[in-house]
Amino acid sequence: MKPSDLNRDEILMLLRTPALDAELETMLDECTEELCKAVQPRTIWRMLPVGHSDEGVRVGGLLLGGKDIALHLTGCKQAVLLAATLSAPVDALIRRAEASDMMKALMFDAVAGAAIEAVCDELEQSLHESLGFRYYTARFSAGYGDFPLNQQKDLITMLDAPRKIGLTVTQHNTLLPMKSVTAIIGLSDQPVKDARRYCCGKSCGECPNRDGCVYAKNPEDEKGSTQ
Amino acid sequence: MNFRELLKSNSFLYLDGGMGTMLHLSPGELPERLNLTEPERVAAVHRAYAEAGSQVVYANTFGANPLKLEGTGVDTAETVQAAVRLAKAAVPADVAVALDLGPTGQLLQPAGSLTFDAAYEAYKTVCIAGAAAGADLVVIETMSDLLETKAALLAAKENTDLPILVTMTFTETGRTFTGCPISAMAVTLEALGAAAIGINCSLGPNEILPLIQSLSKWTTLPLIAKANAGLPDPVTGEYSITPEDFASYMPAFAEAGVKVFGGCCGTTPDFIAAMREVLRGREPVTPNQHRPLAVCSGIRTVMLDMPRVIGERINPTGKKRMKQALLDLDFDYLRGEAISQTDADADILDVNVGTPGIDEAAVLPQAVQAIMEVTDLPLQLDSSDPAALEAALRIYPGKPIINSVNGKAASIAEILPLVKHYGACVVGLTLDENGIPNSAEERFAIGRRILDAALELGIPKEDLFLDCLTLTASTGGDGPVQTLRAVKMVHEELGLQTVLGVSNISFGLPNRPLINRSFLSIAMQNGLTLPILNPMAEGMMDTVRAFRMLAGFDPNCEAYIAACQNAENPQAAAPVQQASSSLTLEGAVIRGLRQDAAKLTEQALQTMEPLDIVNQLLIPALDTVGADYEKGTVFLPQLIQAATAAQSAFGVLKAHMADQGNAGGKGKIVIATVQGDVHDIGKNIVKLLLENYGFDVIDLGKDVPPQKIVDTAIAQRVSLVGLSALMTTTVGAMEETIKLLHAQYPECKTVVGGAVLTADYAEQIGADCYAKDAKATVDYARTIYGE
Ligand code: B12
C-alpha cells in the first residue's frame, strides 16, 4: 500500500482537524509512510444467496438481526459478505507509538482508518467490475444501526476468516486485529434503495449515534454527498 | 500402535486430508457437535482416509475447546472423548488417531485479550480428555500465534505422554498472520520438544514449497506438509487443484526434507492416494544434523552468529525511579527503556525486576508482558528466583535466555530443569559455593561442570552460554586479564557463547566510557559474543559495529555505513528547534516543541520548585491551548502536540523529584478501558492530558474486569475513576463497573467517555460525568480535586 492510495481528507477528518501546520504535516507524511509499510491488507469474500421473509433477511442461510440490514438488502437476491484487515503489525505499530509518542499514535490510528477504508473501496471496485450485476448497495456493517454487533462471530465463521485472513473476533464482538471491517454489499439487477449509509464523516444516513458525534456532518454538507 | 517408532522409521508417513471438506457442512452446522449427534458421518470420513492410505487420522476435535464451544451447548470433554473413540473404532489398529488441537479463535495478549493461562487451561481440558480416550498422538495445527502454540504444546506435554506434532499456517511472506517467522517457529518448537514440525493450511502446495524449504534450514526435526487444494472460489466455494496436480508437487517436498505428508482444506482421500502413488519407491532425505544457533521472541529471531548486544537498562539496581515504578506496578518506565534500547540497536534485552519489597514471581511476568507490547526483541529473563523465572518462561512466546545458573549445586538443581522443560538458553556464571575463583582455569572448570550437568539433562550444548565474570579493574591485580583468559578458553576449547557484563570493569575509575569500550573491544577479540551493556552509553554500540565490520561479520561494511548515516541525520520528526533566547517554557509547550520544553524545564529547575513550574508555567500554557481548542481555533493534533511537549517537561520534573525522594502530584485517578473492550487510544489521550495537569494517573489498560477497577480505586483511595468504552456491546461492562463502584466505594466519582456514549446514556448508566473528549475530562477532574 502506498501513501497515495489514501484519502488525505479522510485522515484529517479522523484527526479532527481541517488542516495541519508544516511541522505536523511532515510528521503525518512520515507516519503515513511508516504505516503503509506495516500494512498487509487481506480480504476475503463470498457471494451468498439472500432470502427475505417476515422474520427478516437471511444471507447464506444466516438470519440477520434488525430492520436496517433487511431494508438495505431490499430487492437483492444475492449479496457479498466480506471481511478486510490491515493485519496484526499495524496494531503493534500503534501500540508501540502509544507507549512512546501519542502524537504519532494518533496519526497512525487515523491513517490506519483511512487505509482500511481504501482496502475496502478497492475490493468493492473490483467486485463491481467482476460480478456483473447492474446495481450494488453500499457496504453495510454489523454494528451499524440495529444490525447487532453480536453477529460478528457468525459472519467471520461463515467466511472462515480466522484461517483465511487471520481475522478473529473476541467474546465481546471486537474484531482483532483492530483495523478490520466486516460488511455486506447487496447485489441486484434492479435499482437499489440503500439510503442507510453509515459512512462516518461523509454521510450519517440514519445513524443513531449522530447526535453528539464529533464526526457528524451537518445536514447542509450532507445533501451534497449523498446524491 | 507406536507412533514414535513410526516417525523414526526410514519411510514417509501419511496423514489425512480435509475434514470440513468431507463433512459437507450446512450453514451454521458445528462440526464438533456431530461427534455426539451423528458419529457415523464423522467415522465415514476417517474410514475413507484410512482406506486411501492415511496412517494417521485426525480426530474431529479441531475446534473442540471451551473457548470456541462456549454458548453452543456442546461440552468440550464430552465431544473430544467421543471424537477420539469414534475414530479409533472407525480405523484399523495400525492407523494412529491424533487428538487435533486448533487455534482457540482468540488472539492472545498483547495483540488480543486472551491470557496465556486461559489458553493453557482450555488446551489442558482437551488434552486430558483426548489422552483418556486413547489418542495415540497430539497434533497442534493451523496455528498463527507462537505463544498460543506454546500454550497448546505445554498443555500436551504436561498432561499427556503423547508425541506432539505441530504445524503452523504461514502467508507467502514467510510469516504467520500474527507475524511469527518460520525461524522463530522452528527454533522455539524444537527446543520445547515437538516430535515433528511443519506447515499447514492457508496456501496451496506451490506457495508452501518455498516455505518448507526455508523451514528445513532451521531444524533437525522431521518436517510435515499439509497444503490446501489451492484457493476456494468465492462464488462457488470450490477449491482449484486436482489430486494429481497436488501430488505432482510432492517429490519436491520430499527433497526439501518433508517426511510426513497430508492435506488440508479442500483435500480428500483421493489426494492422499495420489500422494502415495507419486512418492512410491522414494525415501525420505536425511534431515539436518545441525540447527542454526538462535534465540527469538514470537516475531523476531536473532542468530548468534556474531557478537550480539544484550541491553542492560531494565534493572532497578541503582535506579530510584525504576524501583518506585516497579513498586507502583507502573510499567511505562520499563516500556520506555525497552523502546530506547531497541531504537539504539540492542539485539536482546535483559529484564530484571529484583528489588526489595517486590514479589518477583508476580511482577516479572507482568514486566515481560509489558515489554513485549513495545519491542520485538528476544528477552533475557534475569532473576535468582526460580519461581519468577518459571512464571516468566511460561508466558514468553519464543526461545529466551535465562540469566542465570551458576556452579552451586543448588542452582544447578533448580535452574537447569527449567531450561530443559521450557527450551531456553541459559547463562552460566562461573562461580560456586566458594565464590568467584581468581584464576581463569578455575572459572573454566566451573563452566565445564555446568556444561556437564546441562548435557546430562539433555540440554543441547550450544544452549549454554558462559559468563566468566567481569571484575572491577580499579581493585588492582590481574582481574581483567583472568576474565579475558577465561573467555578465550571457553570460546576456543568449549566453543560456547560467552557473556560478560561489560561496564563493571570501569567502576571507580575516571573516564569510564573509555575503559568500557576498550575492554569491550579486547573482550570481543578474545571471544566475547554476548556483551551485556547499555546500548545508549557513549561509544558502546559504535565499538560493536566497528568490531563486527573489522572482524568480517559485516561484508561490504553495509551495517556500519548505514548506522553512521543514521547518526548523521537523526530522523527526529520535528526538526530540532534552536531554543532561541526569547522562547519561554510556556511558549515551547504551546507550540509543541518537545526538546525545548525539556531543556527549558531543566533551566527553570535552577530557580523554581517543581510544583511551581507545574502550576505557574505548564498549566497556564496548557490552559491557553485548551481554551483555543474549545473555541475551535486549535484542533486535536495541536492539542496533543502541546500535551507531548508538556509531557517531556514532566519527564524532567519527575526524574528530579525521584532524586529528591518526593513524589506526589495533585491527586490520583484510575482510568481503564472496560472489560471486553480493547480500544485504547481514546483513553490514552485522556491519560496524557490528565498527566499534563499534574494528576497521577493509574492506567489499568484495556479489557479490565470491574472488580479490578474497584479494588484499585479503593486501595489507592482515588476520588475519580475514568472509564472508556467504544462500542455498544461493552457499555454494559461500564454500567456494571459503575454499579460495583457505587456499592463498594460510593464516595468515588466516575467520568466516562468513548464513541457511542452520550450525556444521556452516561446518566442512564449512573456515571457522574460524561466527557466528550480529553479536555472535558481534565475540566471535570479539576472540579473534583477542588481547583
Ligand atoms: C475510525 C473508526 C473505525 C476504524 C478504526 C477503529 C479503531 N479506532 O480502531 C475502523 C474502520 C477499523 C472501524 C471498524 C469498525 N467500526 Co468503527 N468507527 C470509527 C469511528 C469513525 C471513529 C473511532 C475512533 O477511532 N476515534 C478516535 C479516538 C481517538 O476517539 P475516541 O476513542 O472516541 O476517544 C475520544 C473520546 O471518545 C473520549 N474518550 C475516550 N475514552 C475515554 C475515556 C474516558 C475516561 C473519558 C473521560 C473520555 C474518553 O476522549 C477521546 C479523545 O478525545 C467511530 C465513530 C465515532 N463516532 O467515534 C466508528 C464506530 C465506533 N465504529 C462502529 C462500528 C460498528 C465498527 C465495526 C464493528 C464495523 C464492522 N462491522 O466492521 C468495526 C469494528 C472494528 C473492530 N476492531 O472491532 C460503530 C460502533 C457502533 C456500535 N454499535 O457500537 C461506530 C460508532 C460508527 C457508527 N456510526 O455506528 N471503525
Side-chain angles (χ1 to χ4, degrees):
Chain A
M1 173 158 266
K2 305 181 301 298
S4 59
D5 296 337
L6 306 184
N7 180 341
R8 189 85 171 183
D9 290 340
E10 193 163 348
I11 299 176
L12 293 182
M13 183 277 281
L14 288 169
L15 284 173
R16 302 189 200 167
T17 186
L20 292 173
D21 59 35
E23 211 172 290
L24 289 174
E25 188 82 25
T26 319
M27 192 168 177
L28 180 60
D29 287 340
E30 285 168 3
C31 289
T32 308
E33 191 94 19
E34 202 176 336
L35 193 109
C36 284
K37 281 198 198 117
V39 166
Q40 291 169 20
R42 293 184 215 288
T43 59
I44 176 110
W45 59 276
R46 277 179 72 179
M47 194 165 107
L48 299 164
V50 173
H52 289 277
S53 73
D54 294 345
E55 295 171 294
V57 65
R58 281 179 188 273
V59 170
L62 177 74
L63 182 64
L64 304 180
K67 297 182 305 299
D68 290 332
I69 181 68
L71 279 168
H72 191 78
L73 294 177
T74 305
C76 302
K77 295 206 173 59
Q78 237 118 29
V80 164
L81 170 63
L82 65 89
T85 177
L86 298 183
S87 301
V90 170
D91 288 0
L93 186 67
I94 296 173
R95 191 166 60 237
R96 263 160 226 184
E98 281 178 68
S100 55
D101 186 338
M102 274 309 288
M103 191 63 227
K104 277 189 167 179
L106 184 71
M107 288 184 168
F108 284 143
D109 196 74
V111 176
I116 187 71
E117 205 63 30
V119 170
C120 291
D121 288 347
E122 196 193 309
L123 174 64
E124 194 171 344
Q125 194 55 43
S126 80
L127 293 174
H128 286 198
E129 283 160 19
S130 67
L131 290 181
F133 284 81
R134 290 186 57 199
Y135 299 96
Y136 299 83
T137 70
R139 304 191 296 265
F140 198 94
S141 293
Y144 286 180
D146 64 3
F147 182 9
L149 265 176
N150 62 18
Q151 290 199 295
Q152 289 283 43
K153 186 173 176 187
D154 296 328
L155 300 179
I156 75 147
T157 305
M158 189 123 81
L159 290 169
D160 198 12
R163 253 199 280 198
K164 296 285 178 343
I165 59 169
L167 176 60
T168 68
V169 61
T170 69
Q171 274 145 328
H172 300 271
N173 311 301
T174 301
L175 300 174
L176 289 176
M178 200 86 99
K179 302 303 174 190
S180 305
V181 163
T182 59
I184 294 175
I185 300 173
L187 315 172
S188 177
D189 287 322
Q190 313 300 321
V192 289
K193 298 181 286 191
D194 62 338
R196 286 161 193 271
R197 292 163 183 263
Y198 292 78
C199 305
C200 293
K202 288 184 214 150
S203 63
C204 300
E206 289 165 38
C207 179
N209 300 325
R210 61 189 301 170
D211 291 338
C213 174
V214 289
Y215 305 97
K217 277 275 165 185
N218 68 50
E220 294 311 307
D221 295 353
E222 213 175 293
K223 275 184 197 126
S225 64
T226 48
Q227 63 292 116
Chain B
M1 160 78 272
N2 189 332
F3 181 78
R4 279 196 179 89
E5 292 300 313
L6 203 58
L7 197 60
K8 275 197 206 116
S9 71
N10 189 34
S11 48
F12 295 124
L13 192 62
Y14 295 91
L15 308 171
D16 61 8
M19 169 59 82
T21 326
M22 295 289 291
L23 284 173
H24 302 291
L25 299 166
S26 42
E29 203 170 32
L30 189 67
E32 289 72 28
R33 198 189 301 279
L34 301 180
N35 297 327
L36 303 167
T37 56
E38 295 178 61
E40 186 43 38
R41 201 167 139 198
V42 181
V45 178
H46 294 318
R47 257 195 309 273
Y49 277 115
E51 278 160 20
S54 295
Q55 296 160 280
V56 177
V57 296
Y58 286 19
N60 181 29
T61 56
F62 178 80
N65 76 61
L67 295 162
K68 269 195 167 168
L69 293 179
E70 192 187 289
T72 61
V74 177
D75 178 72
T76 302
E78 203 183 331
T79 187
V80 166
Q81 300 217 351
V84 172
R85 294 211 177 101
L86 81 85
K88 288 186 77 91
V91 299
D94 62 347
V95 174
V97 171
L99 174 67
D100 184 3
L101 308 187
T104 58
Q106 306 275 312
L107 290 188
L108 268 78
Q109 295 168 338
S113 52
L114 185 65
T115 63
F116 173 87
D117 289 341
Y120 176 86
E121 287 304 321
Y123 287 120
K124 181 176 167 184
T125 307
V126 182
C127 289
I128 291 176
D136 299 300
L137 66 150
V138 177
V139 297
I140 298 167
E141 64 162 341
T142 325
M143 300 304 269
S144 177
D145 186 319
L146 194 54
L147 184 57
E148 186 179 17
T149 311
K150 178 168 170 177
L153 197 155
L154 284 178
K157 174 164 154 173
E158 292 169 0
N159 299 286
T160 79
D161 294 323
L162 303 174
I164 303 162
L165 310 191
V166 188
T167 56
M168 293 180 73
T169 296
F170 291 85
T171 67
E172 294 93 327
T173 60
R175 287 179 181 262
T176 65
F177 292 130
T178 60
C180 173
I182 286 175
S183 53
M185 170 213 187
V187 165
T188 306
L189 299 180
E190 179 159 3
L192 280 168
I197 59 175
I199 298 177
N200 81 300
C201 204
S202 178
L203 301 168
N206 190 30
E207 295 79 28
I208 288 190
L209 182 59
L211 303 177
I212 282 281
Q213 285 164 337
S214 126
L215 175 62
S216 70
K217 301 195 174 69
W218 284 98
T219 180
T220 63
L221 295 173
L223 299 183
I224 311 167
K226 265 183 132 225
N228 284 352
L231 292 174
D233 182 308
V235 178
T236 62
E238 301 289 326
Y239 280 82
S240 57
I241 297 185
T242 65
E244 289 66 34
D245 287 347
F246 188 88
S248 70
Y249 288 96
M250 295 306 132
F253 276 77
E255 265 149 49
V258 174
K259 187 170 180 183
V260 186
F261 291 84
C264 204
C265 304
T267 63
T268 63
D270 292 344
F271 285 68
I272 306 299
M275 284 197 278
R276 290 199 76 125
E277 187 57 36
V278 164
L279 292 172
R280 192 188 305 278
R282 282 181 177 264
E283 272 186 12
V285 301
T286 344
N288 269 340
Q289 298 305 308
H290 297 285
R291 57 193 176 102
L293 180 55
V295 293
C296 65
S297 66
I299 14 194
R300 167 114 66 125
T301 305
V302 172
M303 283 185 73
L304 304 182
D305 54 354
M306 63 166 102
R308 297 292 186 184
V309 170
I310 302 177
E312 69 181 9
R313 293 286 304 164
I314 305 175
N315 188 324
T317 310
K319 300 193 188 85
K320 276 193 193 141
R321 250 195 94 187
M322 188 176 292
K323 274 187 192 153
Q324 192 54 48
L326 286 170
L327 289 169
D328 296 343
L329 296 182
D330 163 13
F331 295 110
D332 281 350
Y333 191 85
L334 270 66
R335 288 190 188 95
E337 290 288 1
I339 290 173
S340 43
Q341 293 183 99
T342 307
D343 291 347
D345 276 349
D347 297 295
I348 297 165
L349 301 182
D350 186 89
V351 182
N352 182 317
V353 297
T355 193
I358 249 189
D359 174 7
E360 265 193 79
V363 176
L364 187 61
Q366 291 180 54
V368 163
Q369 238 149 6
I371 290 161
M372 288 189 308
E373 286 170 15
V374 297
T375 183
D376 288 351
L377 296 185
L379 302 183
Q380 169 161 290
L381 310 171
D382 183 356
S383 172
S384 50
D385 176 359
L389 285 173
E390 178 154 28
L393 283 164
R394 286 188 85 76
I395 55 97
Y396 180 82
K399 182 172 189 179
I401 306 171
I402 294 176
N403 187 12
S404 57
V405 65
N406 61 50
K408 294 179 191 167
S411 170
I412 288 182
E414 281 177 338
I415 305 295
L416 290 186
L418 293 176
V419 176
K420 170 72 182 159
H421 186 76
Y422 293 103
C425 295
V426 65
V427 178
L429 306 183
T430 54
L431 59 85
D432 64 9
E433 287 83 356
N434 302 316
I436 305 176
N438 187 43
S439 77
E441 284 73 12
E442 288 166 286
R443 291 188 212 172
F444 180 83
I446 295 177
R448 169 144 246 162
R449 228 168 52 224
I450 301 175
L451 176 60
D452 289 342
L455 291 174
E456 204 165 301
L457 274 179
I459 296 168
K461 176 184 164 192
E462 335 55 279
D463 287 351
L464 173 66
F465 312 160
L466 288 180
D467 183 339
C468 299
L469 302 166
T470 309
L471 302 182
T472 308
S474 62
T475 54
D478 64 351
V481 176
Q482 295 301 342
T483 301
L484 292 167
R485 283 187 57 230
V487 167
K488 194 175 171 98
M489 287 165 72
V490 167
H491 180 68
E492 287 176 356
E493 292 173 37
L494 300 178
L496 298 182
Q497 298 279 322
T498 56
V499 178
L500 280 181
V502 174
S503 41
N504 276 355
I505 193 77
S506 60
F507 210 77
L509 289 173
N511 199 353
R512 291 191 63 183
L514 172 66
I515 304 299
N516 289 346
R517 52 180 198 265
S518 306
F519 180 66
L520 175 61
S521 318
I522 304 171
M524 288 190 289
Q525 183 55 22
N526 278 280
L528 172 63
T529 54
L530 293 167
I532 304 184
L533 51 81
N534 174 1
M536 279 95 80
E538 186 192 330
M540 295 303 261
M541 288 308 297
D542 288 341
T543 304
V544 173
R545 286 186 203 105
F547 179 85
R548 284 175 183 159
M549 194 261 279
L550 296 170
F553 295 113
D554 181 8
N556 306 326
C557 316
E558 276 168 24
Y560 179 79
I561 293 172
C564 291
Q565 281 167 347
N566 268 345
E568 273 161 29
N569 37 19
Q571 43 143 261
V576 182
Q577 306 277 330
Q578 283 303 321
S580 70
S581 51
S582 60
L583 188 66
T584 59
L585 179 53
E586 294 104 305
V589 169
I590 292 171
R591 288 168 52 194
L593 307 174
R594 303 176 200 187
Q595 280 112 332
D596 291 330
K599 252 183 266 152
L600 289 163
T601 307
E602 258 155 31
Q603 284 172 20
L605 273 171
Q606 288 163 7
T607 54
M608 289 173 76
E609 286 301 311
L611 265 185
D612 293 337
I613 297 181
V614 175
N615 290 327
Q616 293 167 26
L617 302 178
L618 293 178
I619 291 186
L622 288 163
D623 280 342
T624 311
V625 183
D628 289 347
Y629 172 77
E630 269 165 12
K631 272 188 273 167
T633 54
V634 151
F635 298 90
L636 187 63
Q638 291 82 358
L639 179 69
I640 299 299
Q641 187 71 335
T644 48
Q647 190 188 29
S648 67
F650 264 98
V652 174
L653 293 179
K654 271 195 186 156
H656 180 84
M657 292 195 289
D659 283 345
Q660 314 238 306
N662 70 29
K666 307 221 157 135
K668 292 182 179 174
I669 300 176
V670 164
I671 69 170
T673 299
V674 298
Q675 185 160 45
D677 204 320
V678 287
H679 296 86
D680 229 5
I681 194 157
K683 180 213 70 191
N684 285 342
I685 292 175
V686 171
K687 170 185 173 185
L688 173 68
L689 233 68
L690 284 171
E691 284 179 340
N692 274 193
Y693 275 84
F695 294 104
D696 283 328
V697 179
I698 302 163
D699 178 9
L700 295 178
K702 56 195 178 186
D703 190 19
V704 189
Q707 192 62 53
K708 181 169 174 190
I709 298 174
V710 175
D711 287 347
T712 314
I714 295 172
Q716 301 280 345
R717 276 178 275 138
V718 303
S719 309
L720 182 60
V721 167
L723 300 173
S724 177
L726 192 89
M727 295 206 285
T728 43
T729 40
T730 51
V731 176
M734 184 179 260
E735 184 170 13
E736 195 189 324
T737 308
I738 294 173
K739 277 211 182 96
L740 212 59
L741 200 62
H742 283 167
Q744 298 176 19
Y745 188 34
E747 59 271 40
C748 185
K749 301 273 188 224
T750 49
V751 56
V752 297
V756 293
L757 283 169
T758 57
D760 287 349
Y761 209 171
E763 197 184 318
Q764 235 173 34
I765 61 173
D768 295 297
C769 174
Y770 161 72
K772 75 175 194 320
D773 58 18
K775 178 66 177 55
T777 315
V778 167
D779 294 343
Y780 182 66
R782 290 169 99 177
T783 65
I784 295 292
Y785 288 92
E787 277 182 40

